């Protein structure tokens, strides 16, 4: 607009008009924009084949590192010979970069999607605190699992089993490299013998090789298919597990303890109250895990998140909370339930007395850690926690830290168990760690800041509009519009040329009266 091209009236129209427009636009932006943009973001979040959420869900865009710690049985021979207290040393970490991808996707009309999770691990030499060639002595799980199965058999069967065990590679402990224990595997004589028996009463043995994660690397079938809600139709169900392997209950634990719910850790319900606990299900743990709100916040990559972690009641078996008694296997209820602090994995491990807990038995009853030398729980190092941005439902940082142990008991007939103390032998600790990177964080910051950007833009337009209106009022009062002086001179000149017109008109009126 050029002031010299407009008259005073036009200038006033432009200034007051634009001022009013900017003020009204700014006010509407302040009032309406945050709600509008939040609504649009929530509409865009549900998982569909074309959504931005899908790109990051199908193949995780940030690196996940799995820190494997193996426990070396340092005095195994002395324990077997003399029954001394076992001693273990935690070695590692042996670090692997984990790539996750959803395979065999099948979309359903009820707002769910079914997929097979594939996880592939790559060795990270520079991040590791040990070599793959490190020699690790650990309990021989095949022999101990079979011995446990025979524990309550009659004497005759146990004697026969003991002879077969001794003649076919049965051991209390064995020594192999770290890579063999984890993924590579090693030939096991006792497993090979067991496969040849085809015993219908024993669990099916699929391989004569053994490793903690045998045949897991790169497999899309090992964990089994998940069906989760996409959020389409109900954003408050987004990421919720509906079925695993076609079932909505694991069958391992009774009631609510076996019911599938929560997230697979890849997708969470957005815009939940920060006080609400996070529920996750990891197949390897055989159970859901609740992470409780701590009230603590942490800023990561410029984004504020809230901390959720395990508590003393996470692995409770009913001692601290009566509702947690369902984590105790039915055959152990009501008087033989494990002490608080570890979950008996026997129901999902073919009866093998393995236990899930926090690393070093953090928060567990002292009856666990006191059975060996080597446990030294430390909150900062052993905690299982997640930093979560609740509005968008995005994990900012994850440290999923759990330990697997094997309960070993003496037996008067089975040679490898004679004279032993009862103890919890740590097998391995796994910690999955991930943190949001700058690329993903920048997208998240933009989405989180859009309401504020709109609000501040509205404030700017409102101020601009008010300033324009105020300037217009001031110019009107001061009569400082461009060309106002010339207009005032013309008006004054017109008034000087006709000064008596009012009086003449008045005299004419009087005479007529």
């Amino acid at each position: 607009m050029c002031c010299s091209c407009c008259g005073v009236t036009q200038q006033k129209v432009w200034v007051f008009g634009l001022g009013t427009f900017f003020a009204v636009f700014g006010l509407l932006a302040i009032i309406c924009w945050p709600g509008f943009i939040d609504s649009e973001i929530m509409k865009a979040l549900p998982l569909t084949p074309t959504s931005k959420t899908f790109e990051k869900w199908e193949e995780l865009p940030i690196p996940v590192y799995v820190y494997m710690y193996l426990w070396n049985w340092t005095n195994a021979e002395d324990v077997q010979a003399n029954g001394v207290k076992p001693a273990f040393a935690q070695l590692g970490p042996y670090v692997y970069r984990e790539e996750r991808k959803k395979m065999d996707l099948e979309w359903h009309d009820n707002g769910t999607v079914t997929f097979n999770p594939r996880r592939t691990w790559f060795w990270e030499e520079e991040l590791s605190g040990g070599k793959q060639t490190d020699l690790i002595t650990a309990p021989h799980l095949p022999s101990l699992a079979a011995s446990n199965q025979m524990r309550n058999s009659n004497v005759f069967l146990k004697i026969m089993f003991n002879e077969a065990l001794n003649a076919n590679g049965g051991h209390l402990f064995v020594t192999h490299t770290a890579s063999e224990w984890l993924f590579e595997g090693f030939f096991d004589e006792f497993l090979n013998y067991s496969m040849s028996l085809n015993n219908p009463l024993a669990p099916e043995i699929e391989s004569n090789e053994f490793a903690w994660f045998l045949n897991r690397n790169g497999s899309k079938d090992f964990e089994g298919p998940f069906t989760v809600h996409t959020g389409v139709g109900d954003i408050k169900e987004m990421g919720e597990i509906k079925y695993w392997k076609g079932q909505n209950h694991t069958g391992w634990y009774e009631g609510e303890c076996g019911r599938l719910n929560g997230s697979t850790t890849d997708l969470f319900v957005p815009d939940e109250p920060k006080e609400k606990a996070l529920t996750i299900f990891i197949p390897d743990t055989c159970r859901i895990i609740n992470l409780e709100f701590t009230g603590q916040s942490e800023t990561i990559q410029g984004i504020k998140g809230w901390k959720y972690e395990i508590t003393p009641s996470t692995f409770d078996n009913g001692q601290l909370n009566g509702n947690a008694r369902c984590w105790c296997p039915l055959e152990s209820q009501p008087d033989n339930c494990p002490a608080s602090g570890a979950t008996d994995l026997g129901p999902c491990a073919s009866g093998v007395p393995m236990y899930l807990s926090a690393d070093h038995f953090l928060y567990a009853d002292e009856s666990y850690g006191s059975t060996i030398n080597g446990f030294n729980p430390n909150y900062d190092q052993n905690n299982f926690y997640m930093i979560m941005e609740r509005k968008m439902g995005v994990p900012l940082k994850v440290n999923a830290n759990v330990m697997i142990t094997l309960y070993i008991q003496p037996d008067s007939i089975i040679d490898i168990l004679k004279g032993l103390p009862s103890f919890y032998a740590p097998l391995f600790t796994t910690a999955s760690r991930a943190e949001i990177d700058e690329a993903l964080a920048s997208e998240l910051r933009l989405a989180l800041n859009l309401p504020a950007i709109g609000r501040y833009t509205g404030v700017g337009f409102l101020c601009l509009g008010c300033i324009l209106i105020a300037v217009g009022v001031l110019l009107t009062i001061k009569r400082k519009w461009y060309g106002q002086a010339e207009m005032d001179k013309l008006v004054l000149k017109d008034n000087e040329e006709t000064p008596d017109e009012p009086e003449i008109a008045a005299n004419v009126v009087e005479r007529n009266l």
Side-chain angles (χ1 to χ4, degrees), residues 56-131:
K56 298 171 178 57
W57 172 82
E58 182 188 27
E59 189 166 2
L60 202 64
I62 61 174
V64 176
Y65 293 95
V66 180
Y67 287 65
M68 303 285 192
Y69 296 87
L70 295 174
W71 291 83
N72 185 42
W73 193 353
T74 58
N75 65 343
E77 292 182 355
D78 201 12
V79 172
Q80 187 169 34
N82 304 308
V84 301
K85 187 175 184 179
F88 288 79
Q90 192 179 50
L91 302 184
Y94 303 94
V95 182
Y96 295 81
R97 176 172 50 85
E98 178 179 297
E99 291 185 357
R100 299 181 182 180
K101 188 171 183 178
K102 313 296 188 302
M103 308 294 291
D104 305 328
L105 274 68
E106 183 178 352
W107 302 87
H108 308 293
D109 293 336
N110 63 352
T112 62
V113 59
T114 300
F115 63 91
N116 284 302
R118 186 188 71 187
R119 294 195 287 175
T120 308
W121 291 277
F122 302 90
W123 170 246
E124 293 285 342
E125 180 81 34
E126 294 182 357
L127 297 177
S128 298
K131 303 289 186 181

Side-chain angles (χ1 to χ4, degrees), residues 236-256:
K236 289 303 180 181
E237 289 197 56
M238 183 172 173
E240 286 288 316
I241 300 171
K242 297 301 179 182
Y243 300 100
W244 177 49
K245 296 182 178 180
Q247 304 293 323
N248 61 5
H249 197 283
T250 65
W252 295 323
Y253 303 96
E254 63 174 342
E256 285 298 301

